[in-house]
Amino acid sequence: MTLNDQPSGLPSMHATTILMVRKGNRVVIGGDGQVSLGPTVVKGNARKVRRLAKGNVIGGFAGATADAFTLFERLEAKLEQYPEQLTRACVELTKDWRTDRYLRRLEAMMLVADKNVSLLLSGSGDVLEPEDGIMAIGSGGNYALSAARALADTDFDAEEIVRRSMKIAADICVYTNHNLVLEAIDL
């Protein structure tokens, strides 16, 4: 079995690259548009970064698209239940994700942010806040994360750091392309 194969023998969807940078007066999440099935690019302009909670929250996902949409819908519901409490909504979502039989099978990760906090969510129960305001997920995540950390001490703002770091990731990772979607929130 190769790394691209599921136990069923079918090729798996490869993740993507999602990068979040909080610097100065902005938080920015950027994501590429590539969707790969095994060694094949299926789509090059997918939109994996979006606004939630009437535009007050931004998020990006890596992993299975349908699973991520399900999680975004669940997060929207939690944000309605706990308005302006992103951390609490994420903790409640992650609890459900770990304990619900259906949700437990979802294969995705999410980065979300509002004016106050940036978080990574995973199906293993993680709700993590970066200590330096920078986080990345997906196949090219480590490339983008490294580039962003290297650029963090420059005069570049959050958006420019995301743009440059995502370009570096796309130049290195075969599962990441140059079709960039950005969402930002002013702090």
Side-chain angles (χ1 to χ4, degrees):
M1 181 166 79
T2 68
L3 292 176
N4 296 341
D5 294 335
Q6 299 174 356
S8 66
L10 298 173
S12 62
M13 297 290 262
H14 261 283
T16 186
T17 303
I18 304 293
L19 174 64
M20 175 171 49
V21 174
R22 182 180 290 267
K23 183 179 178 186
N25 61 350
R26 286 189 109 190
V27 60
V28 179
I29 297 180
D32 77 312
Q34 184 164 308
V35 177
S36 303
L37 184 59
T40 305
V41 175
V42 177
K43 183 175 181 170
N45 64 347
R47 186 172 175 86
K48 303 170 206 166
V49 175
R50 57 198 56 232
R51 290 188 168 276
L52 307 161
K54 300 176 183 152
N56 296 322
V57 174
I58 53 176
F61 68 86
T65 305
D67 293 355
F69 286 152
T70 299
L71 292 168
F72 273 140
E73 288 172 8
R74 297 285 180 125
L75 180 56
E76 284 271 18
K78 294 295 183 187
L79 288 166
E80 287 176 14
Q81 190 176 358
Y82 306 105
E84 311 230 357
Q85 297 180 62
L86 180 60
T87 301
R88 175 133 189 229
C90 289
V91 168
E92 294 300 323
L93 170 67
T94 305
K95 284 198 274 188
D96 291 350
W97 196 353
R98 291 274 300 150
T99 58
D100 183 274
R101 273 181 98 176
Y102 168 72
L103 292 177
R104 222 181 358 227
R105 297 175 185 254
L106 300 182
E107 296 181 17
M109 293 181 79
M110 299 170 61
L111 293 178
V112 295
D114 67 5
K115 288 184 177 194
N116 303 310
V117 68
S118 300
L119 300 168
L120 177 144
L121 310 176
S122 80
S124 58
D126 297 315
V127 178
L128 303 172
E129 183 175 4
E131 45 181 77
D132 59 0
I134 303 170
M135 244 180 193
I137 56 175
S139 296
N142 286 335
Y143 304 117
L145 178 65
S146 297
R149 285 187 175 161
L151 295 170
D153 290 335
T154 66
D155 290 335
F156 296 133
D157 64 9
E159 184 173 331
E160 188 62 22
I161 291 171
V162 169
R163 286 185 185 284
R164 288 175 182 250
S165 300
M166 290 295 292
K167 181 186 180 319
I168 290 168
D171 288 345
I172 297 170
C173 179
V174 298
Y175 297 108
T176 304
N177 69 15
H178 291 89
N179 264 344
L180 184 61
V181 173
L182 291 176
E183 290 290 350
I185 296 177
D186 292 328
L187 308 177

